[in-house]
Amino acid sequence: MTQSAKPLYTAKVRTTGGRDGASRSSDGRLDIRLSTPGGPGGGTNPEQLFAAGWSACFEGAMAIAARKMNIMLPAGLTVDAEVDLNVADGAFFLSARLNVSLPGLDRDVAQAVVDAAHQTCPCSKATRGNIEVAINLI
């Protein structure tokens, strides 16, 4: 972090029990059970949590980009995130797709908003160069 950077918010979450455990935020707003993907448990998993966080973050980045471009985002916009847990040669890794729908916007305008959001979204920045990512305008 640079000298001039100022944290706006710090999320604090404690997890116990790993993939079949539980996670709780310091403020109590997040209190969830975890389960291994495809396993018998009734909880969520890290991949789902990451998909939810990234899609929400990306939508916020699109709103900022649209405001800067003087564009009104459509009420029916959606961001569907797909996060894959993969394995190759005994090593686990993630890949992801964001499928963005901006109904009613001209495709070139919608693509400009999506491209700008992908450059500024903190989650997009965190994954850039680290995992395979596809951003699809649908």
Side-chain angles (χ1 to χ4, degrees):
M1 193 163 28
T2 66
Q3 290 285 350
S4 63
K6 179 180 105 182
L8 298 176
Y9 173 76
T10 300
K12 296 179 183 179
V13 175
R14 175 173 286 168
T15 299
T16 57
R19 283 187 171 270
D20 293 305
S23 294
R24 181 175 169 83
S25 63
S26 60
D27 62 7
R29 291 182 179 190
L30 177 73
D31 190 0
I32 56 169
R33 304 261 337 127
L34 301 170
S35 298
T36 301
T44 188
N45 59 64
E47 292 74 23
Q48 290 172 327
L49 292 168
F50 182 55
W54 192 0
S55 58
C57 188
F58 197 84
E59 188 170 329
M62 286 194 312
I64 292 169
R67 235 183 345 267
K68 288 180 179 179
M69 299 169 154
N70 293 316
I71 296 166
M72 178 71 79
L73 290 178
L77 78 90
T78 59
V79 179
D80 295 323
E82 300 173 350
V83 175
D84 304 314
L85 175 61
N86 306 291
V87 64
D89 300 321
F92 296 97
F93 62 98
L94 299 176
S95 58
R97 290 162 305 289
L98 295 182
N99 300 309
V100 181
S101 175
L102 295 166
L105 277 187
D106 175 80
R107 186 159 184 86
D108 290 339
V109 171
Q111 189 65 58
V113 170
V114 167
D115 290 346
H118 189 48
Q119 292 305 308
T120 61
C121 172
C123 291
S124 291
K125 287 180 179 183
T127 60
R128 189 168 292 118
N130 295 310
I131 68 171
E132 183 180 317
V133 173
I135 309 293
N136 304 307
L137 181 58
I138 56 170

